């Protein structure tokens, strides 16, 4: 029945699903003497679970832990400072996603630089950055390339477009992240106990179901790929509890309408053509080997890190605990600054800025519960 219902947001169906999940979670608690604990890897899952009241409804029965799936939040402070410093150069246009504008750097934000007169543009379609470069041949146009496997193919597409249209004043500041290395990091660190993962539907469209088999084969932990519909998320949580009760581990696909076994092979080939693995620094974690993708050396002319030098000092230390939030070690409400010094209008860290940030989700939908 759950398979039939999983695409629906019908309140009656969702209520029934919540009750089913609670029953299963009680069984789990009876059997193992504790609540089941699952990590929603994706920031959009965190937002959806909070916005729809699922987190609130299940709070006493299931630990739903936010993970490292918000691209703005996981970008380390030195990278943020470098991007802000990049915008200081003359004859440059910086193009970025909207969430980046208010992320606090050590001394200022991109928004501060824009107010001070720097040409910083928020784009809804990143590919438009190539058009901006064509329209401004006397300026260097630099796109701030953050994101996971959902966004990375678009960055490759942009390079292809710039090549095709012989645009020479366009480049990308690559700071991308991959899902697998950070999940391996979390599991190997052993800092947080998990009974399974809610795996991101949109990343899985690119990577496919097979790409998560290492979770079962090497770490003996389950995962359910889900989209963002309430019923789909609830049925994903139900499946994870059920697997735990049966003592089984498995990767289940709750998003079969768009996620195949192998993922999108055309996009995977496209990424291989332009990109190569590189070490990336993650907020609160440090450098994880081969955890990002950079442009291949033959595309150096589109690689802003090869074309521009920026000097940044040691990042300013704050009491922000985004690093621990991202790793699932604390919930946002455990940060002493949450909803006090740190609010969406006055964010101290990126998790309070981003539309996918855990602190923003907790502030908007859960702060009354604490
Ligand atoms: Fe950082 Fe603010 Fe979240 Fe605390 S509440 S972890 S200061 S973003």
């Amino acid at each position: 029945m759950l398979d039939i219902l999983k695409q629906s947001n019908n309140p009656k169906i969702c209520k029934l699903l919540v009750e089913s999940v609670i029953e299963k979670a009680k069984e789990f608690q009876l059997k193992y003497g504790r609540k089941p604990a699952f990590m929603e890897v994706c920031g959009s899952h965190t937002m959806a679970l909070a916005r729809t009241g699922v987190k609130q409804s299940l709070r006493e029965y299931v630990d739903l832990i936010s993970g490292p799936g918000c691209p703005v939040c996981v970008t380390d402070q030195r990278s943020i400072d470098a991007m802000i410093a990049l915008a200081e150069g003359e004859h440059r246009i910086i193009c970025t996603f909207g969430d980046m504008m208010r992320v606090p750097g050590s001394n200022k934000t991109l928004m501060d630089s824009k107010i001070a007169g720097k040409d910083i543009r928020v784009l809804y379609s990143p590919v438009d950055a190539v058009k901006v470069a064509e329209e401004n041949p006397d300026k260097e146009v630099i796109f701030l390339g953050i994101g996971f496997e959902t966004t990375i193919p678009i960055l490759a597409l942009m390079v292809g477009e710039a090549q095709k249209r012989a645009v020479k004043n366009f480049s990308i500041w690559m700071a991308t992240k991959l899902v697998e290395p950070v999940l391996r990091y979390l599991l190997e660190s052993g800092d947080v106990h998990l009974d399974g993962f809610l795996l991101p539907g949109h990343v899985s469209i690119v990577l496919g179901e097979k790409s998560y088999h290492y979770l079962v084969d090497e770490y003996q932990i389950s995962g359910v790929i889900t989209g963002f519909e309430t019923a789909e998320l609830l049925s994903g949580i139900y499946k994870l509890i059920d697997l735990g009760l049966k003592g089984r581990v498995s990767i289940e696909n709750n998003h079969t309408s768009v996620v195949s076994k192998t993922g999108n092979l055309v996009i995977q080939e496209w990424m291989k053509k332009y990109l190569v693995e590189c070490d990336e620094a993650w907020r609160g974690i440090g450098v994880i080997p081969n955890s990002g993708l950079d442009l291949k050396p033959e595309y150096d002319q589109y690689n802003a890190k090869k074309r521009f030098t920026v000097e940044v000092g040691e990042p300013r230390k704050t009491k922000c605990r985004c690093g621990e939030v991202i790793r699932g070690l604390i919930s946002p409400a455990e940060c002493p600054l949450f909803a006090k010094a740190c609010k969406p209008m006055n964010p101290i860290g990126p998790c309070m800025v981003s539309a996918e940030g855990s602190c923003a989700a907790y502030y908007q939908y859960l702060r009354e519960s604490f």
Side-chain angles (χ1 to χ4, degrees), residues 319-322 325 330 332 335 337-339 342 348-352 359:
K319 291 191 176 153
C320 171
R321 296 179 67 184
C322 278
V325 172
I330 63 166
C335 169
L337 306 183
F338 177 77
C342 183
I348 309 285
C351 298
M352 190 58 93
C359 299

Side-chain angles (χ1 to χ4, degrees), residues 206-280:
V206 176
L207 298 181
E209 194 185 316
K210 262 170 63 178
S211 68
Y212 299 110
H213 283 177
Y214 67 94
L215 291 174
V216 168
D217 299 341
E218 298 178 45
Y219 300 98
Q220 293 76 52
I221 189 163
S222 297
V224 177
I225 300 166
T226 86
F228 303 95
E229 302 289 331
T230 315
E232 196 176 348
L233 284 161
L234 281 164
S235 85
I237 297 166
Y238 182 97
K239 282 181 179 174
L240 285 172
I241 303 175
D242 195 45
L243 284 166
L245 277 169
K246 289 176 177 153
R248 283 184 53 222
V249 286
S250 169
I251 299 299
E252 303 281 323
N253 186 354
N254 231 8
H255 208 34
T256 46
S257 54
V258 285
V259 176
S260 66
K261 286 247 181 291
T262 53
N264 189 320
L265 298 176
V266 175
I267 290 180
Q268 289 169 23
E269 280 309 308
W270 186 256
M271 285 162 70
K272 274 187 211 150
K273 179 178 173 196
Y274 289 98
L275 304 163
V276 63
E277 283 183 359
C278 66
D279 299 347
E280 269 293 333

Side-chain angles (χ1 to χ4, degrees), residues 43 107-108 137 161 184 187 191 242 277 279 316 323 346 368:
N107 301 308
K108 56 154 98 168
E161 270 304 294
R184 285 182 181 276
L187 292 167
D191 290 339
D242 195 45
E277 283 183 359
D279 299 347
R316 184 170 63 94
N346 178 37
E368 307 297 337

